[in-house]
Amino acid sequence: MREASYDIEDLLDTFLVRVQGSEPVDQSRLKRALKKMGGLFGKAKARREISSAIEDIKKQLQEVAERRNRCKIDETVAKPDATWAIDPRLEAMYKEVTKLIGIDKSRGELLSMLSSPQGNEVSHEKMKIVSVVGVGGLGKTTLAKAGYDELKSQFDCGAFVPVGRNPDVKKVLRDILIDLDNKEFEEPKYDILDVRQLINKLNNFLRSKRYFIVIDDVWETRDWKNIGLALVENDRGSIVIKTTRKSEVATGVIYQLRPLSDDDSKMLLFTRLFDSGGECPANLPAEAFKKIMRKCGGVPLAIITMASMLVGKKTEDWLAVCNSSGFYRGNDGGQQADDTEWILSLSYYDLPMHLKTCLLYLSVYPEDYSIKKDRLIWRWIAEGFVEMKTGTSLFQRGEEYFNQLVNRSMIQAVRDEDGVGDIYACQVHDMVLDLIRGLSYEENFVTISNDGEVTSLAHQNKVRRLAHQYRVMKQLTQQEDDTGMARVRSLLACRCDIGSWVLHPSFKLLRVLALEDCGYEEGHCQGLKHLGDLLHLGYLGLQDTFGIYELPEEIGKLKFLQTLDLGGSDIQVLPFGVCQLTQLVCLRGDYSTCAPDGLLKKLTSLEELLIHIGNLNDESKRQFVKALGNLSELRVLRINGSMEGTVQSDLAQSLGNLHKLQHLSLRYNCEAPWAKWDRVVLSQHLQSLIVDSVVLRRLPSCINPACLPSLCHLDLYVDNIDEAGLRAVGGLPQLRRLNLHRPKPWSGSTATVVIAGDGFFQKLRHCSFSDWMVQFVVKEDSASVSFSLWKGKQQGALAAFGSSTEDESSSRSVPPTVMPNLQHLEFRVPVRALYKDGNGSCRSLGLHCLPSLREVEVYVDCEGASPDEVEKVEAELRHEAQLHPNSLKLDLYKLNKDEMIRHSTGQIGDKVHTRCSAHLGSYVNSTIFYFFILTIKFLPATSPRMVMICVRRKRKRKVRSHLLAMRSLPRS
């Protein structure tokens, strides 16, 4: 049926190319008419050929229909899921490692193998290698990650690097170097190093260090030998963990990972099925349950996948699953892998047809690859996999498909680094990837090419989707063209060298062109010079691809283009031809990609827009923000560039017309406080609001639970916070991330609010008050807590932060529930202001009132303070962290350290690098890709400085909060 649909689509697309053709956007009507008349005879011949092809396809479809009736296919087609959101029962299973079911015993055994006799002290033992061995899906990676997270703080450096099947050893070695905090090796110039040179680099780097490295998922002995040559035995007690499925690959101390016990298996199954805390429900079909448990064999992947398939099914239908072909094979030790593969296969065939197609598409990605959710959904749409549903946009429908695959455990959801944000990506377990790659080959769904060879021959010499992975892409040869490459509808390249590649003009039927993590270092790549010939192109992506610096003007010919994604690319200015793409739904530039004048005049169907408008003059900006108000379908809006005066008023008015807006990000420079926000009416569907570098006098009145019931992420620059504003923010029912920053010079007043029960920051998990000091004080009635923010300048506010009257025993008592889900907290300590009258202290911050707190970041402001005072603050903060029931992870960053030196020695400091590195710590590096240029007025005022900071792309989200804190320093 799929082959028949391909033939039909090829026929229709060929008809459009041969009969309609592509016309330049600037042709006159007369020229078009003459050209049309001149091609009448050729088009008549094309019509006759197409008519004959239609008759052949009719016969083919008739044969397919007859086979369908004979097989009674309707009786076996899976019914679609009724659940569109992520199943909360599944989310509950992916908590921090210490709460994972069945991991405590194996984690303890592994840690005992890894521990050195001296504990945390530097050992003089030789390097210890521990191999974790077990079948696929047993949890080797999870266990290794648990041990790594537990012990890595005891070592000078560490790395956690996946290998996988058929690895590029050169890339693995380079990834180890990068993970070891040697960021310079991210630069493309190191691509020229061969394996021998990278081994030498690693040897030199590790020679004097105590390191902890995890090499995950090693398949072959030869791969391990090459990697092992780089690991130096330096008698400093270093540790290497290797995970593998094959016992012959294991070396050193071997830890054989065992399946889950019967009790843990039951708990895992019931947690996924019933959200019952692992308790067995009543009326459970005992016979079916016993068979399912025996078939899963204690393998977590098999249990979760089987349970996800059974969710929503009646318990009386479980026996039908047990009676499926293949269920009664033996289950000895050597059969576990086969049984897990069988369960995954059973789960695949239980999917509705549209989900099968979407899952097969994931075979175009490499192993262990993080697949961005939004990009994936837009590609599904361009491929035609997503069906329209009344009242729902195609993207929202695609998001439902994504969630269903997560709920069925066919893909693994990935959240932000700190785990508090929305799901932004997914990964495919290598056993699932093996399954869908095999199926894709059988059905001629995807042809994969890596290492310069096509690894799966296309059926009948027809290549439908071509995926390049980790290879040097070259010009298509005539021989390849003759093998059916002209029928390719999707061309995807991941982590490839595109220097000598040029888009072949024979790809007339191409719908998806995606270059992801590709690059070319020497000069400009000319690969897109034939782009205007791709009449049917619906998706063009250059994500994180460098070497292509401009798009051809002929892009305006692509009448069916729906998605243009340039995130992380080198495209600086969009050509005017983009303004002609009337069907464009998603336009995602890089943060520095500039818009052409008049961009939005015809692009009225946009649902997502990310663009920079700093290049436009004031009148063009006004026209742009006014046109925003006409984009009634807009869900995501991210604008960069300065906006002043009347442009702000026009923007405020336009935002009131965007009733479907879910994500709003405004990043532009505006020194004066913006009062227009009090007039802004925001969409009730808004989920994230980021207003960066714009000073708001106070929290806008539109930010309250009634107006923004769905807001999850709030990031603002606020001059003043009062109790009313704090209560409004705390009452937002879905808020999970809050970042509030304050400009300098500091002004405004201290805010204090009494929390007397539920309903205050109930879902908040990440909170940053990077310019305020915080304190929680249990009131005398022990039924409420006072929450205070102090800016460190007003004397009257210091009383709340004075000496504590609580002793350590009372601080360990159970306080009222405050911010019950908060895991990460950031705040500032102004040392000199705190100790100015001799009564200040950090021993009474009341962090024990936050029951879920795990990590605290504190910015210690050293300006005007003595070194002794700074040391005292740090000691008190460590004491506070130790008293917390969760043994908090405490990260301290010193701000204005040069001002502390000047105060204590009488010398004027001028240490720009000291200030920056002390604040950013390990997040500042000298890699390429993103350059954040910050102009900061350092003291003395007559000596301004410019600081250039280079940030790894994947660190960008983490670094941004630190950059915001830097902007609060005095600046010109």
Side-chain angles (χ1 to χ4, degrees):
M1 191 64 199
R2 180 174 281 116
E3 285 295 327
S5 70
Y6 287 155
D7 292 340
I8 293 172
E9 291 175 345
D10 290 348
L11 179 67
L12 294 174
D13 292 349
T14 303
F15 177 82
L16 285 174
V17 170
R18 296 181 63 181
V19 178
Q20 175 180 335
S22 59
E23 301 173 351
V25 295
D26 58 349
Q27 273 194 324
S28 66
R29 295 179 61 185
L30 177 60
K31 288 183 179 180
R32 288 199 302 269
L34 290 175
K35 184 177 179 180
K36 188 174 183 179
M37 292 176 62
L40 284 178
F41 294 103
K43 291 180 179 179
K45 180 181 178 181
R47 287 191 174 94
R48 286 195 300 272
E49 293 175 355
I50 290 172
S51 176
S52 175
I54 289 175
E55 292 300 323
D56 293 339
I57 290 179
K58 283 184 178 180
K59 295 178 182 179
Q60 182 183 354
L61 290 177
Q62 186 174 358
E63 294 175 1
V64 173
E66 291 173 357
R67 288 200 299 272
R68 176 179 180 275
N69 292 332
R70 289 198 303 270
C71 296
K72 298 181 180 180
I73 199 71
D74 286 337
E75 298 178 5
T76 61
V77 172
K79 296 180 180 180
D81 267 355
T83 302
W84 308 134
I86 298 295
D87 193 334
R89 292 171 295 194
L90 187 62
E91 287 197 78
M93 298 169 60
Y94 294 100
K95 298 178 181 178
E96 55 266 29
V97 169
T98 55
K99 294 185 179 180
L100 292 178
I101 295 173
I103 200 174
D104 289 340
K105 182 178 179 181
S106 56
R107 176 170 165 268
E109 292 173 347
L110 180 63
L111 289 176
S112 66
M113 286 184 175
L114 300 176
S115 298
S116 61
Q118 288 86 358
N120 291 348
E121 298 178 1
V122 176
S123 171
H124 293 285
E125 296 179 340
K126 291 185 177 181
M127 178 181 67
K128 182 182 295 184
I129 299 178
V130 176
S131 296
V132 180
V133 183
V135 299
L138 201 56
K140 300 183 296 297
T141 301
T142 302
L143 177 61
K145 188 67 166 61
Y148 179 74
D149 290 341
E150 179 78 14
L151 299 178
K152 65 180 179 181
S153 61
Q154 302 175 16
F155 294 80
D156 298 333
C157 55
F160 194 107
V161 177
V163 177
R165 198 179 315 184
N166 302 318
D168 181 351
V169 176
K170 175 180 170 180
K171 179 183 181 298
V172 172
L173 294 173
R174 190 172 165 190
D175 286 346
I176 294 174
L177 277 165
I178 293 171
D179 265 23
L180 289 170
D181 209 22
N182 206 342
K183 309 304 183 200
E184 64 173 313
F185 285 93
E186 285 189 319
E187 298 184 19
K189 66 181 181 181
Y190 289 104
D191 284 338
I192 63 175
L193 297 182
D194 59 20
V195 171
R196 179 187 61 83
Q197 292 168 322
L198 287 170
I199 289 175
N200 291 337
K201 292 285 186 183
L202 262 170
N203 279 186
N204 293 332
F205 183 81
L206 296 175
R207 195 171 305 280
S208 61
K209 291 181 173 61
R210 185 173 188 243
Y211 58 86
F212 188 179
I213 297 177
V214 178
I215 308 297
D216 185 39
D217 197 21
V218 183
W219 281 73
E220 301 295 338
T221 303
R222 65 176 183 273
D223 297 328
W224 169 248
K225 286 182 178 178
N226 288 327
I227 297 170
L229 291 174
L231 306 176
V232 179
E233 294 194 20
N234 54 14
D235 295 334
R236 293 183 61 83
S238 298
I239 291 178
V240 175
I241 294 180
K242 171 175 51 175
T243 71
T244 180
R245 302 183 187 188
K246 300 181 178 182
S247 57
E248 60 268 25
V249 180
T251 55
V253 181
I254 298 176
Y255 179 74
Q256 187 72 45
L257 185 58
R258 295 179 294 275
L260 295 180
S261 66
D262 290 344
D263 290 340
D264 287 337
S265 296
K266 291 177 184 178
M267 182 177 295
L268 185 60
L269 181 74
F270 293 152
T271 300
R272 175 68 186 100
L273 278 173
F274 307 110
D275 192 23
S276 59
E279 297 179 4
C280 179
N283 303 320
L284 188 70
E287 181 183 358
F289 169 72
K290 185 177 180 180
K291 292 178 179 179
I292 289 171
M293 282 288 93
R294 185 169 64 249
K295 192 64 178 179
C296 291
V299 178
L301 177 64
I303 296 171
I304 294 172
T305 305
M306 177 67 80
S308 298
M309 182 179 62
L310 296 176
V311 167
K313 286 183 171 61
K314 298 179 180 178
T315 53
E316 52 264 30
D317 294 336
W318 287 15
L319 272 177
V321 175
C322 297
N323 293 330
S324 302
S325 174
F327 207 94
Y328 294 100
R329 293 180 297 177
N331 190 13
D332 53 27
Q335 193 65 38
Q336 286 176 334
D338 290 342
D339 286 342
T340 303
E341 291 170 1
W342 181 86
I343 289 171
L344 294 174
S345 177
L346 182 66
S347 298
Y348 169 79
Y349 287 110
D350 189 61
L351 293 174
M353 191 62 66
H354 62 278
L355 292 186
K356 289 180 183 176
T357 305
C358 292
L359 182 62
L360 287 181
Y361 189 77
L362 298 180
S363 62
V364 304
Y365 294 99
E367 190 176 352
D368 298 318
Y369 195 75
S370 182
I371 306 167
K372 300 298 188 294
K373 182 180 79 169
D374 290 3
R375 295 175 183 175
L376 176 63
I377 293 174
W378 286 122
R379 291 179 190 177
W380 281 348
I381 292 172
E383 293 277 4
F385 300 159
V386 181
E387 300 175 356
M388 179 65 76
K389 180 181 179 181
T390 305
T392 305
S393 70
L394 282 173
F395 185 87
Q396 291 171 320
R397 185 70 168 158
E399 204 167 20
E400 293 174 359
Y401 291 3
F402 183 92
N403 292 344
Q404 290 178 57
L405 289 175
V406 172
N407 290 341
R408 288 174 173 264
S409 298
M410 301 307 292
I411 60 177
Q412 301 167 347
V414 178
R415 295 187 182 273
D416 293 333
E417 286 185 3
D418 50 21
V420 302
D422 291 330
I423 293 171
Y424 78 97
C426 71
Q427 286 184 320
V428 184
H429 192 280
D430 51 4
M431 295 190 71
V432 178
L433 186 60
D434 288 342
L435 170 68
I436 61 178
R437 279 183 175 175
L439 293 169
S440 294
Y441 167 72
E442 292 174 5
E443 300 186 19
N444 191 28
F445 192 83
V446 173
T447 301
I448 300 174
S449 173
N450 51 31
D451 296 328
E453 298 179 0
V454 178
T455 57
S456 56
L457 296 176
H459 293 239
Q460 302 175 353
N461 290 331
K462 294 179 181 179
V463 178
R464 303 296 184 179
R465 295 175 184 85
L466 180 60
H468 295 287
Q469 300 172 1
Y470 303 107
R471 60 165 295 191
V472 177
M473 293 174 59
K474 298 179 180 179
Q475 176 64 283
L476 193 67
T477 64
Q478 183 63 41
Q479 181 181 1
E480 290 173 318
D481 192 18
D482 293 340
T483 60
M485 291 291 185
R487 294 178 180 268
V488 171
R489 62 188 62 236
S490 297
L491 177 62
L492 305 106
C494 184
R495 295 175 179 171
C496 293
D497 184 335
I498 58 174
S500 57
W501 169 78
V502 176
L503 185 63
H504 201 274
S506 66
F507 286 170
K508 298 291 186 182
L509 306 182
L510 202 65
R511 297 184 178 186
V512 173
L513 175 59
L515 308 178
E516 192 163 333
D517 284 320
C518 297
Y520 178 54
E521 179 67 15
E522 300 177 3
H524 291 211
C525 175
Q526 302 298 319
L528 298 182
K529 65 180 181 180
H530 299 300
L531 184 65
D533 297 331
L534 307 181
L535 178 65
H536 297 284
L537 197 66
Y539 179 100
L540 174 59
L542 303 177
Q543 302 95 344
D544 302 323
T545 291
F546 57 93
I548 299 177
Y549 295 93
E550 59 183 7
L551 297 175
E553 190 64 42
E554 289 75 17
I555 193 174
K557 298 179 182 179
L558 306 181
K559 302 176 182 179
F560 302 118
L561 192 65
Q562 292 180 301
T563 301
L564 178 59
D565 190 345
L566 307 175
S569 71
D570 286 335
I571 305 296
Q572 296 298 312
V573 181
L574 294 178
F576 183 75
V578 174
C579 302
Q580 309 299 322
L581 304 176
T582 56
Q583 295 197 33
L584 205 61
V585 180
C586 172
L587 173 55
R588 184 185 295 171
D590 191 50
Y591 285 98
S592 58
T593 304
C594 295
D597 200 357
L599 175 66
L600 300 183
K601 288 182 179 179
K602 297 182 180 180
L603 275 56
T604 56
S605 300
L606 284 175
E607 295 182 19
E608 181 173 349
L609 175 61
L610 192 164
I611 202 70
H612 190 283
I613 63 171
N615 59 307
L616 302 177
N617 59 40
D618 290 344
E619 181 57 31
S620 296
K621 289 178 184 177
R622 286 200 63 188
Q623 296 301 322
F624 177 89
V625 297
K626 284 183 177 180
L628 281 176
N630 299 325
L631 304 180
S632 58
E633 299 298 318
L634 203 63
R635 296 180 300 101
V636 180
L637 176 60
R638 297 184 175 96
I639 303 178
N640 303 312
S642 60
M643 283 185 278
E644 303 288 348
T646 56
V647 178
Q648 295 181 1
S649 301
D650 295 332
L651 176 62
Q653 184 175 355
S654 293
L655 291 177
N657 297 330
L658 305 180
H659 302 298
K660 295 184 178 181
L661 198 63
Q662 297 178 4
H663 304 277
L664 175 61
S665 174
L666 303 174
R667 289 189 168 101
Y668 54 90
N669 296 322
C670 180
E671 293 293 335
W674 190 21
K676 307 296 181 183
W677 269 96
D678 287 333
R679 293 191 243 158
V680 173
V681 178
L682 297 174
S683 165
Q684 286 201 337
H685 301 289
L686 201 65
Q687 298 176 17
S688 67
L689 174 60
I690 301 172
V691 184
D692 191 1
S693 299
V694 181
V695 180
L696 305 178
R697 295 189 184 279
R698 52 187 174 83
L699 284 170
S701 58
C702 60
I703 299 179
N704 63 73
C707 297
L708 300 176
S710 303
L711 193 66
C712 302
H713 180 184
L714 179 62
D715 194 332
L716 296 178
Y717 228 82
V718 186
D719 187 48
N720 186 17
I721 297 180
D722 56 15
E723 180 179 355
L726 202 54
R727 284 192 177 278
V729 175
L732 295 171
Q734 300 298 325
L735 191 65
R736 295 196 297 271
R737 178 187 290 273
L738 174 64
N739 296 326
L740 291 181
H741 315 278
R742 189 179 63 233
K744 201 172 182 180
W746 290 327
S747 59
S749 59
T750 296
T752 299
V753 60
V754 177
I755 309 169
D758 296 337
F760 191 82
F761 288 123
Q762 283 296 294
K763 293 189 176 182
L764 190 66
R765 298 181 65 184
H766 183 287
C767 184
S768 174
F769 296 109
S770 57
D771 297 304
W772 283 273
M773 189 170 176
V774 302
Q775 185 183 43
F776 301 86
V777 177
V778 180
K779 306 299 284 185
E780 294 180 358
D781 56 7
S782 298
S784 60
V785 173
S786 172
F787 171 46
S788 301
L789 293 178
W790 179 49
K791 66 180 181 178
K793 290 295 180 182
Q794 285 188 327
Q795 287 279 338
L798 184 58
F801 293 85
S803 300
S804 173
T805 57
E806 300 180 18
D807 57 21
E808 293 187 7
S809 60
S810 65
S811 67
R812 293 193 184 98
S813 62
V814 180
T817 301
V818 177
M819 301 184 187
N821 294 296
L822 187 67
Q823 296 182 7
H824 184 104
L825 176 64
E826 298 178 18
F827 59 90
R828 186 186 190 109
V829 176
V831 180
R832 183 56 181 161
L834 182 66
Y835 290 145
K836 192 170 185 178
D837 60 359
N839 294 323
S841 174
C842 286
R843 298 177 64 92
S844 58
L845 298 182
L847 299 183
H848 62 284
C849 294
L850 309 175
S852 300
L853 195 61
R854 293 290 182 273
E855 183 176 359
V856 177
E857 289 188 19
V858 183
Y859 304 108
V860 180
D861 189 349
C862 307
E863 181 179 2
S866 68
D868 291 340
E869 290 173 331
V870 173
E871 290 179 8
K872 181 180 179 183
V873 163
E874 292 179 342
E876 291 176 348
L877 288 170
R878 292 190 185 97
H879 178 76
E880 181 82 2
Q882 291 172 357
L883 287 181
H884 196 280
N886 298 333
S887 298
L888 302 179
K889 176 185 176 184
L890 178 64
D891 294 323
L892 299 175
Y893 301 95
K894 293 181 182 179
L895 303 181
N896 301 322
K897 187 176 180 180
D898 53 335
E899 300 304 320
M900 175 187 67
I901 296 173
R902 184 183 66 173
H903 174 78
S904 59
T905 64
Q907 298 177 355
I908 297 178
D910 190 15
K911 301 180 181 180
V912 177
H913 295 290
T914 299
R915 178 177 299 187
C916 296
S917 61
H919 180 70
L920 291 177
S922 63
Y923 300 114
V924 175
N925 55 76
S926 56
T927 61
I928 64 168
F929 299 123
Y930 278 87
F931 293 87
F932 292 85
I933 309 299
L934 306 176
T935 301
I936 305 174
K937 184 198 295 181
F938 288 90
L939 295 177
T942 57
S943 181
R945 292 291 183 269
M946 177 174 286
V947 181
M948 180 179 292
I949 300 176
C950 314
V951 183
R952 290 178 65 192
R953 182 177 293 110
K954 71 177 183 178
R955 298 274 192 181
K956 182 168 57 178
R957 186 187 304 274
K958 181 69 175 177
V959 167
R960 187 171 61 79
S961 63
H962 296 281
L963 295 179
L964 289 174
M966 285 187 65
R967 291 193 186 119
S968 67
L969 298 170
R971 55 191 171 137
S972 59

